[in-house]
Amino acid sequence: MIIKKIKVNFLVIIMLLILTGCVNDNNHIEVNAYVDSAMDAMYKGNFIKYSEITGLEINKVEEIYMNGLNIESNAFANYFDIRNLTEEMQNEIINLYKSIYSKSKYEIENINDSGNGYLVDISIYPINIISLAYNDILLYIDEFNVKTFNGDFDNLNDEEFENEYVKGIIEVMKRYLPEIGYSEKNYYYRSFT
């Protein structure tokens, strides 16, 4: 199992949420609060403000958030070559991502009314957990492969074997949660009406 460079990105989900909540000219909203609440809903799981601004039911906003986390858990499984992700392990991965994304950092840099809508510049600071945990993840995978070769997991079925593998990766990443920092900010530009 080889580690590839991973990029965790919710921007597509965020933009779907922003587009879901777009309003017509009869319902003027403060764009800054609107975009900030959409970012908070999708990254941090804070749904109330977005629901208040858009009138979208909290359970619908949460459903979009959970869909994003399911996509992330499947990307995690693919990245680490997990073929049969059990519901239990998917929930563990989702909980890990909730912890990681709760530390998200972003800023709305600029908002311009183009006459046909708004142009929004957002700075996003990528979370560095993979770079922090990278060497330990590699070490864990090497040790896991040695144990596999030595027959330490021979009594496990395929599902149990993969669960054991996933648990170890999650535990390595959890150790780095208190040390999370950010990489150099990326700019994202988005327009909406």
Side-chain angles (χ1 to χ4, degrees):
M1 298 167 203
I2 300 172
I3 293 200
K4 307 168 207 159
K5 187 170 179 166
I6 191 168
K7 183 177 180 184
V8 178
N9 193 333
F10 256 2
L11 285 178
V12 172
I13 303 299
I14 291 168
M15 290 307 112
L16 287 174
L17 183 69
I18 288 174
L19 292 173
T20 301
C22 285
V23 295
N24 60 35
D25 292 337
N26 296 332
N27 295 325
H28 178 70
I29 59 169
E30 198 215 68
V31 176
N32 189 55
Y34 171 67
V35 174
D36 194 49
S37 69
M39 299 289 285
D40 284 349
M42 285 302 92
Y43 278 103
K44 298 180 179 180
N46 299 334
F47 313 124
I48 295 172
K49 184 77 171 173
Y50 184 79
S51 176
E52 289 172 354
I53 289 173
T54 64
L56 199 61
E57 295 290 328
I58 288 178
N59 63 341
K60 291 304 266 181
V61 181
E62 185 174 13
E63 182 181 321
I64 295 168
Y65 171 73
M66 290 306 298
N67 286 340
L69 289 172
N70 283 320
I71 290 168
E72 292 293 350
S73 69
N74 290 328
F76 179 99
N78 185 50
Y79 180 77
F80 288 109
D81 198 28
I82 301 159
R83 291 179 180 85
N84 300 304
L85 189 61
T86 65
E87 186 176 336
E88 174 191 0
M89 284 300 98
Q90 187 167 24
N91 289 334
E92 289 292 322
I93 295 166
I94 286 171
N95 288 333
L96 172 68
Y97 274 97
K98 283 180 179 180
S99 296
I100 292 168
Y101 284 139
S102 72
K103 299 177 184 298
S104 294
K105 182 177 174 184
Y106 37 80
E107 298 168 349
I108 299 166
E109 296 282 339
N110 197 19
I111 298 172
N112 291 308
D113 186 346
S114 70
N116 294 328
Y118 296 94
L119 302 173
V120 181
D121 302 341
I122 304 169
S123 293
I124 298 175
Y125 297 81
I127 293 173
N128 66 352
I129 193 161
I130 293 297
S131 59
L132 289 173
Y134 185 80
N135 289 333
D136 284 350
I137 292 171
L138 283 179
L139 181 62
Y140 168 76
I141 291 172
D142 286 344
E143 290 171 355
F144 190 87
N145 287 334
V146 168
K147 288 179 181 179
T148 301
F149 182 76
N150 290 337
D152 291 7
F153 306 117
D154 286 352
N155 62 333
L156 302 179
N157 64 35
D158 289 347
E159 186 177 286
E160 293 167 334
F161 175 78
E162 286 197 338
N163 281 353
E164 191 69 26
Y165 172 63
V166 173
K167 282 183 204 175
I169 294 170
I170 290 171
E171 288 308 312
V172 170
M173 292 179 72
K174 280 182 177 178
R175 288 198 307 258
Y176 285 93
L177 285 173
E179 298 176 36
I180 276 184
Y182 308 94
S183 303
E184 188 174 325
K185 69 181 173 181
N186 293 327
Y187 291 100
Y188 183 74
Y189 307 97
R190 182 67 188 150
S191 65
F192 63 96
T193 56

